[in-house]
């Protein structure tokens, strides 16, 4: 059930709702309330549509059909095909580190702050069902081996942010900022200030916030300081390498990246995490603005 | 994974993902594009009014259908191929019905030039699978003396994560020419009235085939390059039956007065033009589009060459300058130059090209200025403004100046041609 809230701030409208298990915000530098409400409605509709369509927790969507196909070939719709195409390209670009079949590793890895590190034999058993190269994908026809699953959660939220920004832009040329749980995009520069002020929590310092002036483009953040395992003094981050099935050693706690779109920002931050201690080196190569904690 | 710069490839993949998705929301709406074009040549030559409409609907799965209708209303007069003279010249209309006289020193223009052309066409863009699609098109166009039917099919194939598109197409055009009064026989004299004009028949046909191959390559998020090669060949009637050539007396350099061996015929000193009954052409086209932060540069070059000896080069440059609030200004610059056809002649000379009986000794000849050596420069400006979120109005003004290079005796020059083009465009969703 969506609950939309719309409030007038000093010089913009502030809309909020909850989707994708995250607080979602829409900041709109428009003058009239009716337009602000229209934009907020359209954006929340889109967020909920994408959540519904790509969530792996539902039983009434295409993802559920795909993940329960038991070896059968499934014909997917156009939008799903584009996201799978994109993920396929990302799999190649990351040389296998970004893999939408890696979600099943969660069955053995539960990042609850405990020392519950899985047995190598358990990891290897699950790893049988991981690997995009084992999937047959042609002409919108997807064939997974029985036991394999796909999870588009790694790109879904960023996709929702960019789509929402696109939709907002269809309503107005004024600046709109879409923020879904820390992944955000703007549609253009603000009239007066030129920028939106975006705060970023500094990991490990609960009250420290760095402020960033965002003129255009998008920011995405990967990582979660609270999701890890600690065993015998070794910290296991929740970032898993789909090729080994193991937690990536020395992964940063969080990475934030600024890019033209939220998807690009999100993919770069995810791939940086997967580089472990080379995250910073990787991001410098990409010539983007970023923060690492 | 080797550490490498992937942000460029990532941004292209993202572009593909978001660009296509953006269009999803507008299904079930017709995309209507209407335009009105006014073209006017200097010195009271041709004026054209051309309203056009195009309607496109996107169906499921990237399939789309478009319908187009164009009406072209032409008025004015057009050079008839004879050159200026120091004496008055009298001509018969190709139909044989009327005659007209052109004063000394004036360029002979066929005085009643009125025609309405109507063209209807449809296109069907049908995906075959995720990577390939076929575009089928059909056109029918009709005017008083001309009917044309065109059919084409183009196969497109995306590869390299949709960064490269290969295209191959085949087009066929089937024309019928049926002038009022029939078709005058080429390189035969124009006659006074309709008395006994020699004609090849009431109508004739021409068939053309074009084979096109092309590749479009996305270089990076902001740059696109397109190459096309077209080979075309046509056979059948290629003459312009409205066009003649002056036959001059080599002694006086005036249109022949003492006609042929046996005076008293109804001949005039003009022969209808005649061109080869086949033409083969090759066209190479390259275009680059570069997006700057907001502005867009669009540059193209076209090379045309045919077996009539015409080679042309076209350079085209557009710069789209984005103003505030999605308004834009787009200056346009175009330069065109071509060589003359091998059989392009200023006139025919009695005793050299035409014998004493009025029989031409040359196989082909035309004085149609479109086959002359000339260059043309076009300068234009377009202004576009959004109306609401999904409509746009634009207005375009252009000035074209064409200059013919032809060695002629003084007083017989084919004058330069200037023309203005005004176009209004309104597109909206319906």
């Amino acid at each position: 059930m969506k609950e939309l809230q719309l409030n007038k701030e000093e010089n913009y409208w502030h809309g909020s709702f909850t989707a994708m298990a995250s607080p979602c915000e829409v900041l709109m530098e428009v003058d009239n309330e009716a337009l602000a409400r229209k934009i907020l409605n359209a954006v929340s509709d889109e967020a909920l549509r994408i959540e519904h369509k790509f969530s792996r927790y539902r039983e009434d969507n295409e993802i559920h059909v795909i993940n329960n196909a038991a070896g059968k070939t499934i014909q997917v719709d156009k939008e799903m095909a584009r996201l799978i195409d994109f993920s396929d390209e990302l799999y190649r670009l990351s040389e296998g580190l970004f893999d939408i079949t890696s979600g099943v590793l969660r069955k053995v890895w539960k990042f609850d702050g405990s020392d519950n590190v899985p047995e190598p034999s358990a990891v290897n058993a699950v790893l049988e069902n991981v690997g995009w190269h084992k999937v047959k994908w042609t002409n919108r026809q997807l064939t997974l081996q029985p036991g394999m699953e796909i999870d588009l959660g790694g790109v879904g939220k960023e996709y929702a942010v960019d789509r929402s920004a696109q939709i907002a832009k269809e309503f107005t040329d004024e600046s709109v900022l879409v923020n879904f749980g820390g992944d955000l995009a703007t549609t253009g520069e603000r009239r007066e200030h030129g920028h939106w002020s975006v705060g970023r929590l500094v990991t490990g310092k609960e009250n420290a916030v760095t402020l960033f002036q965002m003129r255009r483009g998008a920011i995405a953040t990967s990582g979660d300081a609270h999701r890890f395992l600690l065993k015998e003094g070794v910290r296991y981050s929740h970032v898993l390498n789909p090729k080994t099935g193991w937690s990536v050693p020395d992964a940063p706690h969080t990475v934030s990246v600024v890019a033209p779109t939220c998807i690009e920002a999100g993919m770069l931050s995810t791939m940086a995490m997967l580089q472990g201690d080379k995250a910073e080196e990787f991001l410098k190569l990409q010539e983007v603005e970023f923060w690492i904690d | 994974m080797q550490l490498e710069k992937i942000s460029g490839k990532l941004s292209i993949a993202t572009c593909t993902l978001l660009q296509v998705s953006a269009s999803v929301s507008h299904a079930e709406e017709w995309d209507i594009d209407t335009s009105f074009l006014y073209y006017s040549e200097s010195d009271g030559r041709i004026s054209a009014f051309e309203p056009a409409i195009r309607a496109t609907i996107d169906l499921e799965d990237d399939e789309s259908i478009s319908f187009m209708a164009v009406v072209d209303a032409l008025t004015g007069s057009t050079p008839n191929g004879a050159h200026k003279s120091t004496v008055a010249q009298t001509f018969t209309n190709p139909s044989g019905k009327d005659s007209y006289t052109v004063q000394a020193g004036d360029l002979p223009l066929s005085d009643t030039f009125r025609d309405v052309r109507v063209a209807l066409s449809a296109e069907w863009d049908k995906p075959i699978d995720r990577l390939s699609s076929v575009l089928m098109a059909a056109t029918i166009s009709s005017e008083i003396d001309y009917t044309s039917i065109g059919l084409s099919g183009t196969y497109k194939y995306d590869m390299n994560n949709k960064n490269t598109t290969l295209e191959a197409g085949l087009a066929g055009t089937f024309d019928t020419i049926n002038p009022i009064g029939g078709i005058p026989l080429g390189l035969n004299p124009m006659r006074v009235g309709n008395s006994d004009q020699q004609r090849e028949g009431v109508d004739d046909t021409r068939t053309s085939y074009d084979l096109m191959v092309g590749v479009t390559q996305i270089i990076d998020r902001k740059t696109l390059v397109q190459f096309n090669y077209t080979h075309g060949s046509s056979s059948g009637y290629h003459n312009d039956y409205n066009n003649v050539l002056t036959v001059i007396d080599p002694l006086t350099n005036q249109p022949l007065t003492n006609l042929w061996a046996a005076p008293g015929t109804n001949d005039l000193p003009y022969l209808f033009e005649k061109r080869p009954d086949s033409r083969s052409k090759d066209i190479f086209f390259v275009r680059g589009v570069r997006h700057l932060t907001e502005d867009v540069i669009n540059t193209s070059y076209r090379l045309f060459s045919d077996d009539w000896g015409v080679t042309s080069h076209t350079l085209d440059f557009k710069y789209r300058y984005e103003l505030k609030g999605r308004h834009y200004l787009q200056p346009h610059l175009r330069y065109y130059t071509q060589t003359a056809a091998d059989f392009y002649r200023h006139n025919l000379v009695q005793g050299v090209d035409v014998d004493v009986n009025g029989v031409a000794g040359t196989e082909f000849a035309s004085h149609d200025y479109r086959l002359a050596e000339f260059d043309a420069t076009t300068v234009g400006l377009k202004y576009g403004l959004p109306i609401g979120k999904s409509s746009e109005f634009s207005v375009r003004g252009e000035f074209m100046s064409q200059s013919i290079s032809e060695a002629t005796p003084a007083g017989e020059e084919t004058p330069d041609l200037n023309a203005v083009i005004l176009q209004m465009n309104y597109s909206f969703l319906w």
Side-chain angles (χ1 to χ4, degrees), chain B residues 31-32 84 89-90 159 220 267 340 372 384:
Chain B
D31 197 342
I32 312 275
K84 289 183 194 173
Q89 307 184 71
T90 298
M159 49 190 275
D220 59 38
D267 289 352

Side-chain angles (χ1 to χ4, degrees), chain B residues 327-338:
Chain B
H327 291 230
Y328 65 90
L329 269 181
Q330 183 173 280
H332 177 209
L333 199 61
R334 180 176 180 268
Y335 176 72
Y336 177 87
T337 181
Q338 79 167 35

Side-chain angles (χ1 to χ4, degrees), chain B residues 330-379:
Chain B
Q330 183 173 280
H332 177 209
L333 199 61
R334 180 176 180 268
Y335 176 72
Y336 177 87
T337 181
Q338 79 167 35
T339 60
D342 299 333
F343 52 86
Y344 180 78
R345 299 289 306 271
H346 179 59
N347 53 26
L348 298 171
V349 181
Q350 167 83 325
V352 179
D353 306 304
V354 183
D355 73 9
V356 291
N357 297 313
V359 177
T362 175
E363 203 181 355
F364 307 112
S366 171
H367 188 228
D368 185 334
Y369 69 90
R370 289 167 295 187
L371 296 173
E373 179 183 336
F374 72 85
D375 48 52
T377 306
T378 306
V379 183

Side-chain angles (χ1 to χ4, degrees), chain A residues 85 140 169-170 264 286, chain B residues 4 6 11 61 130 389:
Chain A
D85 274 345
R140 278 169 57 187
K169 203 158 172 49
E170 287 179 25
E264 286 164 85
Q286 310 310 321
Chain B
E4 58 175 319
I6 54 132
S11 96
D61 291 330
R130 223 157 43 86
K389 289 307 292 184

Side-chain angles (χ1 to χ4, degrees), chain A residues 15-218:
Chain A
S16 59
F17 57 95
T18 301
M20 292 176 264
S22 304
C24 299
E25 287 183 301
V26 191
L27 310 187
M28 297 157 278
E29 199 175 38
V30 298
D31 297 322
N32 74 71
E33 184 174 356
L35 179 58
R37 192 161 292 283
K38 266 194 214 167
I39 297 172
L40 179 61
N41 276 330
V43 166
S44 64
D45 283 352
E46 180 68 0
L48 293 167
R49 182 188 73 81
I50 291 174
E51 175 179 21
H52 185 274
K53 181 164 178 175
F54 296 104
S55 167
R56 66 189 157 83
Y57 300 108
R58 302 189 71 100
E59 296 193 348
D60 59 351
N61 65 8
E62 210 173 1
I63 292 286
H64 182 81
V65 174
I66 291 167
N67 289 342
N68 292 281
K72 284 203 300 288
T73 297
I74 304 292
Q75 162 107 19
V76 306
D77 84 357
K78 270 194 294 188
E79 189 183 28
M80 183 75 76
R82 286 188 193 114
L83 273 158
I84 295 177
D85 274 345
F86 178 80
S87 307
D88 177 52
E89 175 71 2
L90 259 285
Y91 177 79
R92 267 198 300 275
L93 281 179
S94 67
E95 293 171 12
L97 287 182
F98 181 90
D99 190 330
I100 55 172
T101 64
S102 65
V104 292
L105 288 168
R106 272 185 309 264
K107 289 176 181 165
V108 291
W109 287 96
K110 302 202 189 303
F111 297 96
D112 48 11
S114 71
D115 64 350
N116 202 3
V117 175
E119 291 300 317
S121 60
V123 171
N124 288 339
V126 178
L127 209 51
E128 290 288 304
N129 291 327
V130 175
W132 181 246
H133 59 282
K134 299 171 186 167
V135 172
K136 195 161 166 265
W137 169 240
T138 44
N139 292 344
R140 278 169 57 187
Q141 311 269 335
L142 184 69
T143 319
L144 298 181
Q145 292 178 13
M148 288 184 81
E149 290 180 12
I150 64 165
D151 178 1
L152 291 169
V155 57
K157 194 161 80 173
E158 289 89 339
Y159 175 67
V161 169
D162 284 333
R163 282 286 304 142
S164 297
Q166 279 183 328
I167 286 170
K169 203 158 172 49
E170 287 179 25
F171 285 93
T172 178
D173 284 329
E174 300 298 344
S175 184
V176 174
L177 182 144
V178 177
N179 173 12
F180 294 173
D183 289 335
L184 50 103
T186 57
T187 63
E189 290 190 13
R190 292 184 70 185
R191 256 178 309 187
E192 283 160 29
H193 303 68
H195 63 267
W196 296 96
S197 291
V198 175
R200 182 174 182 273
L201 288 169
V202 180
T203 308
K205 302 174 193 167
E206 286 308 314
N207 296 315
V209 173
T210 51
L211 271 184
F212 170 69
Q213 296 189 345
M214 191 167 176
R215 293 187 170 272
R216 55 172 73 197

Side-chain angles (χ1 to χ4, degrees), chain A residues 78 82-83 85-86 89-90 93-95 97 137 139-140 159 162-163 166 169-173 260-261 263-264 267-268 271 275 278 281-282 285-287, chain B residues 1-7 9-11 13-14 16-22 24-26 59-62 129-131 161-162 221 293-294 325-326 389:
Chain A
K78 270 194 294 188
R82 286 188 193 114
L83 273 158
D85 274 345
F86 178 80
E89 175 71 2
L90 259 285
L93 281 179
S94 67
E95 293 171 12
L97 287 182
W137 169 240
N139 292 344
R140 278 169 57 187
Y159 175 67
D162 284 333
R163 282 286 304 142
Q166 279 183 328
K169 203 158 172 49
E170 287 179 25
F171 285 93
T172 178
D173 284 329
T261 62
I263 293 176
E264 286 164 85
M267 294 304 100
L268 289 176
M271 276 161 72
Q275 304 301 330
K278 295 205 175 62
E281 203 183 327
F282 169 79
L285 258 177
Q286 310 310 321
E287 295 170 9
Chain B
M1 176 186 167
Q2 296 288 311
L3 287 185
E4 58 175 319
K5 187 162 192 253
I6 54 132
S7 43
K9 286 178 178 164
L10 173 62
S11 96
T14 306
T16 311
L17 174 64
L18 289 175
Q19 241 168 29
V20 206
S21 312
V24 172
S25 55
H26 285 308
L59 307 172
E60 272 292 286
D61 291 330
D62 294 330
D129 56 40
R130 223 157 43 86
L131 297 175
N161 195 37
K162 300 201 172 177
R221 190 188 171 91
T293 314
E294 287 188 330
R326 294 193 297 128
K389 289 307 292 184

